[in-house]
Amino acid sequence: MSRRAMSLLLLPQWSSRVFLVELGGEPVYFSIQEKSRGKEVSRVFRNVQNNDRCYSVLVCGGDRIERAKFYAELKQKLLRELPKECDLSPMSSFLPNVKDSLLKGYFLKDTSPSASLSERVLREFVQHEPVLVCSYLRGEDGQQWTQKCLWKESDNRAVEMSKDFCVVPSEAPEFHPATLNIINSDVFYNFEEACEVLKESADIIPEATSVLELLPSRVEARSKPDFPVIVIEGLDATGKTTLTESLKNALGATLLRSPPQCLSPLRARFDREPPLFRRAFYAVGNYITAEAIGQEGMKTPVIVDRFWHSTAAYAIATAVSGPVCNLPAEGSEVYRWPTDLLQPSLVVLLTLDPEERKRRLRDRGQGETAEEQELDHNQLFRLKVEEAYHRISGPACVTVDASPPADQVLQQVLLLIRGKCHL
């Protein structure tokens, strides 16, 4: 077992952890204690039948690259090996309000007739994979549940932790656990951190080397270029392409996009990768675009089709489960602009009624990314993306209704530009 996993099982730290299980998209929390104090049964176990067995599998070994890669593969590994009667729910474990203490994995409910196959598979996992497995047992009173941990000794035998813990309900923490793990994991706030992930992942993603070859040797925070830089943000089918082309012509501006064209051949590859690698890819795309902005902005105004707001808003909304209120509070450091990334003069966020946006997408007939597909069938995800957009500062977005005809939207945005950028 890795040193990281062994350190987790030191009793004071392990018993201080809180566990989160996503049941139907809603986070349910429980904790553990050495003795039962007569608390009610955690909601995680209320619908578990007498013959069902419950387990958790948490990824805890290896470095951050190995953990990200293994977690991305874990669900398929479990579904492939475990009985078909096993239900999997996303799960995590964390120390409340402690940054970078998050462990991710799955909660398993096995309704198969016999526990032997699940037990054998999970013991094999403990011996050969970077995971910590716990079983959950119903007490003699039929109510109280206990947690028993398994780990791997030096001779590769799976053994049980001698200490059992009672499972009790827990209140939601002050901060959703994912919010304490966002910085330089789901969202990158400086060039070096994003580059480091690509360098570390080059062994498993050869295309990462191609991305690194396109990057500037260094990035420095700088003042804005001579001409204004206007970023147009919004969900797909809100009219960004039409508006940016029209602004380019109306202002005699240079039109740039993020991610930049040079990364287009690699997007599909990184969109298939775990969030850590995918987010680093899009982060460095912003810095490549910023280099072009700095050069072109010395000669003409610059219009940018999406920039850091999109990168951050989608990442934050994906990382934080549950309702909008689980997002980091307005003013949180996760919404701050990276100190080494060129800041635009104005950011316009195009908004559109969801049904009208869907109609435009159907009419357009173009393919969507997985995240755009999620926007279409998951209203909650869309609301979180939109709210994250509004909370990002440095600069904040100015919202513009994109439902009027394109020429009216153009005139409204031109008025904004003339008022704020003096063009």
Side-chain angles (χ1 to χ4, degrees):
M1 188 176 196
S2 69
R3 291 181 180 178
R4 175 184 169 88
M6 291 193 67
S7 66
L8 289 169
L9 287 172
L10 296 174
L11 291 183
Q13 185 189 47
W14 187 248
S15 59
S16 298
R17 284 187 162 265
V18 174
F19 302 83
L20 179 160
V21 178
E22 302 283 350
L23 294 181
E26 180 183 355
V28 178
Y29 297 89
F30 67 87
S31 57
I32 55 176
Q33 57 190 29
E34 294 191 37
K35 295 182 180 179
S36 173
R37 297 173 185 169
K39 289 190 176 182
E40 61 179 316
V41 176
S42 169
R43 191 148 55 92
V44 173
F45 301 101
R46 287 181 190 171
N47 295 323
V48 177
Q49 303 302 310
N50 287 336
N51 294 326
D52 297 344
R53 277 83 54 201
C54 297
Y55 309 91
S56 59
V57 180
L58 296 168
V59 180
C60 57
D63 60 26
R64 63 175 177 170
I65 299 297
E66 294 168 334
R67 289 196 301 275
K69 189 68 175 173
F70 183 78
Y71 176 70
E73 300 167 349
L74 177 59
K75 184 175 182 178
Q76 291 307 315
K77 284 178 176 283
L78 291 172
L79 290 174
R80 187 168 59 246
E81 299 292 335
L82 290 169
K84 64 181 185 301
E85 295 89 351
C86 277
D87 292 328
L88 272 63
S89 301
M91 181 181 185
S92 57
S93 168
F94 58 96
L95 294 169
N97 306 330
V98 176
K99 291 184 178 181
D100 300 323
S101 66
L102 187 69
L103 302 177
K104 299 171 70 174
Y106 290 95
F107 184 82
L108 285 59
K109 185 171 75 170
D110 182 4
T111 61
S112 59
S114 171
S116 58
L117 177 56
S118 293
E119 293 282 353
R120 178 177 61 78
V121 168
L122 292 174
R123 287 181 179 274
E124 287 289 320
F125 258 69
V126 172
Q127 293 180 49
H128 301 295
E129 307 290 5
V131 296
L132 177 67
V133 175
C134 295
S135 62
Y136 297 85
L137 308 173
R138 193 191 302 269
E140 293 180 359
D141 60 2
Q143 295 294 318
Q144 184 65 56
W145 287 77
T146 58
Q147 179 198 74
K148 182 184 292 291
C149 297
L150 304 174
W151 77 81
K152 178 178 64 180
E153 285 193 333
S154 57
D155 62 357
N156 270 359
R157 288 186 304 112
V159 299
E160 293 182 348
M161 186 175 180
S162 59
K163 184 71 178 179
D164 293 354
F165 292 96
C166 297
V167 178
V168 296
S170 178
E171 297 293 327
E174 180 182 0
F175 303 108
H176 187 282
T179 66
L180 301 173
N181 205 55
I182 284 175
I183 293 179
N184 294 327
S185 178
D186 294 287
V187 183
F188 290 87
Y189 296 84
N190 63 70
F191 178 69
E192 286 77 16
E193 288 283 354
C195 286
E196 190 60 32
V197 169
L198 293 180
K199 290 175 184 175
E200 292 175 5
S201 63
D203 287 344
I204 56 177
I205 310 176
E207 291 84 352
T209 302
S210 300
V211 177
L212 291 168
E213 291 171 352
L214 296 170
L215 300 180
S217 57
R218 59 180 300 186
V219 171
E220 297 177 351
R222 68 196 68 168
S223 59
K224 294 177 183 176
D226 293 343
F227 286 86
V229 177
I230 298 99
V231 174
I232 307 300
E233 291 281 4
L235 307 182
D236 273 8
T238 52
K240 292 189 307 300
T241 300
T242 300
L243 177 60
T244 53
E245 291 286 352
S246 298
L247 288 172
K248 171 189 173 182
N249 297 330
L251 300 173
T254 299
L255 175 57
L256 300 172
R257 291 181 172 84
S258 187
Q261 186 64 34
C262 64
L263 292 184
S264 293
L266 300 169
R267 284 188 69 177
R269 176 70 171 90
F270 279 89
D271 280 343
R272 297 194 302 268
E273 291 299 326
L276 179 66
F277 313 137
R278 187 167 71 249
R279 303 308 181 191
F281 170 79
Y282 282 103
V284 299
N286 287 326
Y287 286 97
I288 295 174
T289 299
E291 281 291 298
I293 293 172
Q295 295 168 10
E296 298 298 327
M298 296 301 174
K299 301 175 288 187
T300 67
V302 179
I303 308 299
V304 189
D305 186 341
R306 286 188 167 172
F307 200 38
W308 193 78
H309 282 72
S310 287
T311 306
Y314 278 84
I316 293 167
T318 302
V320 180
S321 61
V324 173
C325 64
N326 283 351
L327 290 174
E330 194 165 355
S332 166
E333 61 181 341
V334 305
Y335 301 118
R336 63 177 168 82
W337 193 268
T339 56
D340 61 356
L341 184 64
L342 185 148
Q343 290 191 14
S345 314
L346 173 67
V347 180
V348 174
L349 175 63
L350 299 178
T351 61
L352 194 63
D353 175 79
E355 292 306 314
E356 172 62 15
R357 197 181 74 85
K358 286 183 180 180
R359 184 191 67 77
R360 291 186 184 183
L361 279 171
R362 287 195 299 269
D363 292 346
R364 198 166 66 177
Q366 293 181 357
E368 301 173 272
T369 65
E371 287 177 333
E372 283 294 340
Q373 291 172 357
E374 181 72 4
L375 284 172
D376 284 346
H377 76 261
N378 188 334
Q379 181 185 22
L380 179 57
F381 180 62
R382 176 178 56 78
L383 291 173
K384 287 193 292 185
V385 171
E386 291 175 343
E387 186 59 33
Y389 265 126
H390 290 301
R391 294 184 184 184
I392 293 170
S393 59
C397 294
V398 178
T399 301
V400 170
D401 180 10
S403 58
D407 59 337
Q408 293 183 27
V409 176
L410 171 62
Q411 292 306 315
Q412 185 176 352
V413 174
L414 284 173
L415 284 174
L416 274 174
I417 293 171
R418 288 165 184 153
K420 291 183 176 290
C421 304
H422 310 294
L423 277 179

